[in-house]
Amino acid sequence: MRRSLSFLVLVALVLGLGAGPKAAAQKPLELTVEQAAELALQHNLSYRLATLDWESAKANLERAQIVGDADMLREAEKEWAQAQKTYAEKTKELKDQVRSAYQELLQSETTVENALRAKERAENQLAMDENKFKAGLLSSLDIERSRNSLFDAEHRHQRAVIDLETKRMRFNELLGLPLDTEVILTERLLLAFVPFTWDLETCFELALALDASVAEARERLARAQEAVLAAQSPFTPRVELEQALVSEEKAKIQLQQAEQALYFRIRGDYYALLDQAHALELAKRNIELERKALQAEQSKYQAGVISNADIVAKQERLAQLEQEYSASLLQYSLARVKLLQAMGQQEESGEQHAD
């Protein structure tokens, strides 16, 4: 409780120091995913608009209940039901956006780290080549090649830093914070690969109980069955019973179609996720192989067996593989969370991340 209170006090301080892009300097704000979502629900501008609509519908319902007019009350209840549904959808949508933005920001931080390592490798290579050039072991062409590699690595690093800064500002905008608020993401485990351990049948069964299209189809079937019962009265014309039976049969078919559509969607997402996991494992192995190959090439280069062209190519290839792995890991993580959410499972058992 004390920790939660201190967090809210810090947030209030941050927001009180300024709501514009040039807010005064303040203490960095450490956030978990849950805390980030909590901030967004309180301060996100689009969500505040949705909250105003929800409050307006609620006020109209209370007003209609006081007046007591049947038509007015019926219309207000209809509006309130729709407002509640829309508000719940907006809430879930914003939480999903926060989690995705959180992971994207983590991935951008990793991209900067990878780009920095690539730049340092290029700097070390150029320093080594310049020493060899002074000793008369390399040509000016070799030096130019190393300088070009470093020039490109520096640009990639600078661009990664700029992209990270933009992602941070976008993240702050999503949370309703001043754009220059310094935020520290504490759930670093989201950067790690987490395998997907559910089987397909369980995924489908869990999603079946939550899917909106299936739920609507079941509601239509229930209404159609009620209409059949009502039409079975001896006082009801036979034609109405026939029409009700046809509607019931259509509703059964539509429910079956909705369930099949869900199954193929879950099946597609499930096997696509497994493919992504396999690709990540292969990419990780290729990175390790490339690092070993680079070490072997560096040994050959120091012995004067190969030129620096081979070294530069290996360094650039390793940098590319590292960046591709980081981006692929983000896509896998987002796809995994999306499938879990379709199943009603925010996190798998035993995978809760530490604050």
Side-chain angles (χ1 to χ4, degrees):
M1 179 66 181
R2 185 177 302 170
R3 177 183 176 186
S4 177
L5 181 60
S6 62
F7 168 71
L8 293 176
V9 170
L10 177 58
V11 170
L13 179 61
V14 169
L15 294 175
L17 286 173
K22 296 298 183 181
Q26 56 257 317
K27 181 180 178 181
L29 187 61
E30 296 186 357
L31 294 176
T32 63
V33 174
E34 182 179 354
Q35 290 170 336
E38 182 181 326
L39 272 178
L41 291 174
Q42 294 175 11
H43 303 290
N44 177 270
L45 297 181
S46 297
Y47 189 73
R48 284 167 62 185
L49 291 176
T51 301
L52 291 175
D53 292 338
W54 179 82
E55 291 174 346
S56 176
K58 183 179 180 181
N60 289 338
L61 176 61
E62 293 173 348
R63 190 177 299 109
Q65 290 172 338
I66 294 174
V67 173
D69 180 76
D71 292 337
M72 181 179 179
L73 182 59
R74 191 181 306 108
E75 186 64 28
E77 288 175 343
K78 181 179 179 182
E79 178 187 354
W80 171 241
Q82 181 60 44
Q84 283 187 304
K85 180 181 178 182
T86 301
Y87 194 61
E89 291 173 350
K90 291 288 186 182
T91 300
K92 182 180 181 301
E93 179 183 342
L94 181 57
K95 288 182 178 180
D96 292 346
Q97 287 177 343
V98 169
R99 185 179 183 89
S100 296
Y102 196 104
Q103 290 188 276
E104 289 174 2
L105 188 51
L106 285 175
Q107 191 269 337
S108 292
E109 291 177 353
T110 302
T111 297
V112 171
E113 293 170 2
N114 290 338
L116 179 60
R117 284 197 297 268
K119 187 184 76 159
E120 290 173 347
R121 285 195 296 262
E123 288 172 342
N124 293 335
Q125 183 63 40
L126 178 58
M128 186 187 305
D129 289 349
E130 286 178 338
N131 289 334
K132 286 197 172 190
F133 178 74
K134 292 176 182 177
L137 300 176
L138 291 180
S139 68
S140 59
L141 181 62
D142 293 319
I143 292 297
E144 190 66 25
R145 182 184 296 113
S146 293
R147 287 174 178 168
N148 289 344
S149 178
L150 176 58
F151 177 75
D152 185 56
E154 288 174 338
H155 173 74
R156 290 177 182 274
H157 178 250
Q158 290 171 357
R159 185 63 197 181
V161 170
I162 292 172
D163 290 343
L164 173 59
E165 185 65 22
T166 302
K167 284 282 179 63
R168 283 175 174 163
M169 288 190 289
R170 287 290 189 184
F171 186 72
N172 288 342
E173 178 189 35
L174 183 64
L175 271 55
L177 296 172
L179 297 187
D180 65 344
T181 301
E182 184 179 354
V183 172
I184 298 176
L185 307 184
T186 59
E187 295 199 49
R188 311 304 299 177
L189 288 177
L190 289 176
L191 285 170
F193 171 78
V194 180
F196 191 80
T197 57
W198 299 82
D199 60 79
L200 175 58
E201 290 71 19
T202 303
C203 291
F204 173 64
E205 290 300 325
L206 291 173
L208 192 61
L210 297 174
D211 185 71
S213 297
V214 172
E216 291 176 2
R218 285 174 176 166
E219 290 178 5
R220 286 195 298 268
L221 177 58
R223 290 195 298 267
Q225 290 172 335
E226 290 175 359
V228 169
L229 290 176
Q232 288 176 341
S233 169
F235 304 104
T236 303
R238 182 178 178 81
V239 65
E240 291 188 16
L241 176 59
E242 293 175 352
Q243 292 174 347
L245 289 171
V246 171
S247 297
E248 181 186 24
E249 188 64 25
K250 286 183 177 179
K252 289 179 180 178
I253 293 173
Q254 290 170 346
L255 175 57
Q256 186 177 0
Q257 289 177 325
E259 290 176 345
Q260 289 176 345
L262 174 63
Y263 173 76
F264 284 114
R265 178 166 62 83
I266 295 297
R267 181 183 177 87
D269 292 346
Y270 178 84
Y271 284 111
L273 192 64
L274 295 187
D275 287 343
Q276 287 179 291
H278 171 76
L280 279 171
E281 177 61 25
L282 181 61
K284 184 178 180 180
R285 294 184 182 188
N286 287 336
I287 288 174
E288 290 301 317
L289 181 62
E290 200 67 29
R291 284 173 179 164
K292 292 177 181 178
L294 177 58
Q295 291 175 353
E297 294 293 286
Q298 287 173 336
S299 298
K300 293 179 183 179
Y301 176 69
Q302 291 173 356
V305 178
I306 61 175
S307 71
N308 74 338
D310 300 302
I311 296 295
V312 169
K314 284 291 183 183
Q315 288 178 339
E316 293 176 350
R317 172 62 177 164
L318 178 57
Q320 179 183 355
L321 289 176
E322 289 173 340
Q323 296 290 47
E324 289 176 354
Y325 179 84
S326 178
S328 296
L329 178 58
L330 171 64
Q331 295 307 312
Y332 166 82
S333 299
L334 294 177
R336 179 180 172 280
V337 169
K338 179 182 176 182
L339 183 52
L340 285 172
Q341 289 173 340
M343 299 157 51
Q345 304 292 318
Q346 183 64 32
E347 288 291 343
E348 293 184 6
S349 177
E351 292 180 10
Q352 296 296 331
H353 302 304
D355 290 351

